[in-house]
C-alpha cells in the first residue's frame, strides 16, 4: 500500500513541537463539530480532545498517534445523551460521563489481558478498505464546511472559500519541495489566516463556525474533577452498559486500526495492548473531568506524521496547546478561517486514500477486491466498527472456503494388498465433508493405512471426522491404521491404541486448537477405557 505525501524521516524535538502546534490548530473545529453531533457543549468536546490527547500521548503504545473526540464515538453518544436528558434536564451529560468511565474500564481490561493482538486478524484487504472509507468520510465531512445555514454557498462566498482552500493546498504541496524546516500544514494555516485577517476578507472563521451552530466561544477554565451525579443502581447500569460496550468497541477498533496504519506509514511498530490500556485510562479521566471521551483520530494522526511528528512529544504539545487555546488564546484561534483547516484536511484525504487500489484491481483475487469495496462502502454508510467486523468475517469465510477445497488424498496399493491414503492439506471443520468422500470403504481391502504426514489436524471437527472414518471401517469389518498424528490428536482419537501407529521420530508435535482441551482429553480417555 502506498501513501503519498508522507516523509518517512526520523522526527526531532523541533518537528514534534511544530507538528503538535499544527495538530492543535486543526483539532479545534473537529472537536467542536463532533461535540455538536453528540449534543454536548463545544467545551466538553475540547476538554475531551485535550485529555484523550495528553493521556494517550504519554502512556499509549504508538508515539506520534493523535487521539481526541471523534465522530465514530459522537454518533453513539448522541443517543445516550437523549435518553439521559429524558430522565431529567441536563442528566444526559452525567450519564455520558458514567458510561465513559465504564467504557474506559472495559478498554483497559482488554489491554491488561493482552487482547490487543487480535488486531492481527485484520487482513490487508480490510485495511485498504478501512483507509479508503475513512478518506471518503473525511472528504464528505469537509464538504459540510461549504454550507451556511444548511444551504450550499454560492457566488462570491463560494469562490472565496474555494480560493482559500486552494491556496492552503498549494502551500502544502509546494513548500516541502523548497524546505521542510516548518510543517507545510502550519505554514498554510498561518498564511491563509494572515490573508483573511489583514486583507479584511469575509469568510467563515472558527468563531462564526461555533456561533452558527449555537455555541458562543471556546474560552473556558481548567477541567474540574467531578463524580457523575447519577443514581448508582441497577437501572443506571442497564442504561449505560450497552452504550459503554459499544463505545469501548468502537474506540478500540478505530484506535488499533489507526495504530496499524501509523505503523505502516512510519515503518515502525507500536504496542496494541499498551494502547488499549491508555485509551481506557483516557476515557476514565474524561468521565471524571467532564470530557466527551474519544479515541485515536486517523486524520489528525496523519497531519502529525506528515508534519514530522514522530515522538510522544508531538501529541503532548498538541494536547497542551489545545488547553492553552481554551484558557488564554481563544480570541486568536477563533480568527482562523475554516477554509485553511479544510485545505489541510483535503490534503489528509489525498494522503490517506490508498491510491494503489486502482493499480491492483486486476492483480488480486476477486474475493479481496470484494472485501475492499465492502469495507469502504460500510465505512461510509455506517461506521468503521461495522465495516471492519464485516470485512474480517467475510475474509474468514473466504479463507475457510478456499482451504476446505485443498484437502486431497493420494491413493496407492502396495505389494501386500494394503491400501494407502496419503492426506494433503488442512483438516478442519470446513474440509471434513470433502475428507470423508475421499475414502472408498466398501471397495477397499481388509487393511487400510491413512497417512497424515502432509496434513494438519486443526480442530475438534477434524478429530471427530477421523473417529467417524475409523468407525466406518470397523463396521465394514476392516482394519484401519492412522499414521503421523500429533500426540494431541492421538489422545483424542477413540480406540487410539488399536488404530494409531506411533513413531516417536517422525510423528509431528503440535497442539490442536480445541477449547477445553484437558476436559476433552479426560472425556476421550474415559471413552477409550469403556470401549
Amino acid at each position: 500500500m502506498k501513501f503519498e505525501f508522507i516523509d518517512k524521516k526520523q522526527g526531532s524535538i523541533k518537528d514534534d513541537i511544530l507538528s503538535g502546534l499544527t495538530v492543535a490548530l486543526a483539532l479545534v473545529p473537529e472537536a467542536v463539530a463532533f461535540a455538536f453531533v453528540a449534543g454536548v457543549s463545544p467545551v466538553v468536546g475540547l476538554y475531551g480532545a485535550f485529555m484523550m490527547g495528553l493521556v494517550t500521548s504519554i502512556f499509549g503504545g504508538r508515539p506520534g498517534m493523535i487521539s481526541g473526540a471523534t465522530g465514530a464515538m459522537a454518533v453513539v453518544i448522541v443517543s445516550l445523551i437523549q435518553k439521559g436528558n429524558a430522565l431529567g434536564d441536563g442528566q444526559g451529560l452525567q450519564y455520558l460521563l458514567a458510561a465513559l468511565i465504564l467504557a474506559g474500564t472495559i478498554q483497559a481490561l482488554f489491554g491488561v489481558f493482552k487482547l490487543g493482538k487480535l488486531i492481527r486478524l485484520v487482513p490487508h484487504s480490510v485495511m485498504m478498505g478501512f483507509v479508503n472509507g475513512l478518506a471518503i468520510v473525511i472528504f464528505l465531512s469537509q464538504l459540510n464546511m461549504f454550507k451556511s445555514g444548511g444551504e450550499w454557498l454560492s457566488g462570491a462566498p463560494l469562490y472565496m472559500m474555494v480560493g482559500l482552500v486552494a491556496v492552503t493546498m498549494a502551500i502544502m504541496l509546494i513548500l516541502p519541495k523548497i524546505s521542510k524546516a516548518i510543517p507545510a500544514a502550519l505554514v498554510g494555516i498561518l498564511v491563509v489566516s494572515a490573508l483573511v485577517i489583514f486583507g479584511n476578507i469575509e469568510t467563515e472563521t472558527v468563531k462564526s463556525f461555533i456561533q452558527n451552530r449555537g455555541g458562543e466561544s471556546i474560552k473556558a477554565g481548567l477541567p474540574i474533577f467531578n463524580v457523575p451525579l447519577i443514581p448508582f443502581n441497577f437501572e443506571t447500569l442497564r442504561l449505560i452498559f450497552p452504550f459503554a460496550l459499544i463505545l469501548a468497541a468502537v474506540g478500540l477498533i478505530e484506535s488499533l486500526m489507526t495504530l496499524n496504519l501509523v505503523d505502516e506509514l512510519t515503518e515502525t511498530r507500536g504496542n496494541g495492548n499498551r494502547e488499549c490500556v491508555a485509551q481506557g485510562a483516557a476515557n476514565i479521566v474524561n468521565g471524571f473531568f467532564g470530557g466527551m471521551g474519544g479515541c485515536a483520530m486517523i486524520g489528525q494522526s496523519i497531519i502529525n506524521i506528515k508534519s514530522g511528528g514522530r515522538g510522544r512529544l508531538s501529541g503532548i504539545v498538541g494536547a497542551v496547546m489545545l488547553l492553552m487555546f481554551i484558557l488564554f488564546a481563544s480570541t486568536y484561534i477563533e480568527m482562523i478561517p475554516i477554509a485553511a483547516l479544510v485545505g489541510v484536511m483535503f490534503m489528509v484525504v489525498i494522503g490517506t486514500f490508498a491510491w494503489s487500489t486502482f493499480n491492483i484491481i486486476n492483480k488480486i483475487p476477486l474475493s479481496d477486491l470484494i472485501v475492499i469495496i465492502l469495507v469502504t462502502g460500510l465505512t461510509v454508510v455506517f461506521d468503521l466498527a461495522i465495516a471492519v467486523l464485516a470485512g474480517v468475517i467475510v475474509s474468514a469465510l473466504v479463507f475457510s472456503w478456499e482451504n476446505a477445497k485443498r484437502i486431497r488424498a493420494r491413493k496407492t496399493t502396495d505389494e501386500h494388498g494394503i491400501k494407502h491414503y496419503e492426506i494433503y492439506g488442512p483438516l478442519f471443520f470446513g474440509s471434513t465433508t470433502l475428507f470423508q468422500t475421499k475414502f472408498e470403504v466398501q471397495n477397499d481391502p481388509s487393511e487400510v493405512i491413512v497417512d497424515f504426514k502432509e496434513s494438519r489436524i486443526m480442530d475438534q471437527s477434524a478429530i471427530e471426522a477421523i473417529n467417524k472414518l475409523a468407525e466406518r471401517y470397523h463396521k465394514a469389518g476392516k482394519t484401519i491404521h492412522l499414521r503421523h498424528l500429533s500426540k494431541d490428536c492421538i489422545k483424542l482419537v477413540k480406540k487410539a491404541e488399536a488404530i494409531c501407529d506411533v513413531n516417536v521420530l517422525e510423528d509431528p508435535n503440535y497442539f490442536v486448537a480445541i477449547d477445553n482441551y484437558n476436559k476433552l482429553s479426560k472425556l476421550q480417555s474415559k471413552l477409550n477405557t469403556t470401549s
Side-chain angles (χ1 to χ4, degrees), residues 146 153 156-169 203 339:
F146 290 84
L153 295 175
L158 175 61
Y159 302 143
M160 185 58 64
M161 183 77 170
V162 172
L164 294 173
V165 169
V167 170
T168 307
M169 295 179 69
T203 188

Side-chain angles (χ1 to χ4, degrees), residues 450-492:
V450 183
D451 194 332
F452 291 92
K453 187 174 184 179
E454 300 299 329
S455 182
R456 172 81 185 247
I457 311 304
M458 305 295 291
D459 58 12
Q460 184 180 358
S461 297
I463 294 292
E464 290 304 312
I466 293 173
N467 283 325
K468 287 180 181 178
L469 178 67
E471 188 177 340
R472 287 169 61 195
Y473 275 102
H474 284 159
K475 284 184 177 180
K478 300 176 181 181
T479 303
I480 182 174
H481 298 272
L482 306 178
R483 289 183 179 174
H484 295 116
L485 289 174
S486 73
K487 295 178 182 178
D488 301 291
C489 296
I490 293 172
K491 287 180 181 179
L492 295 173

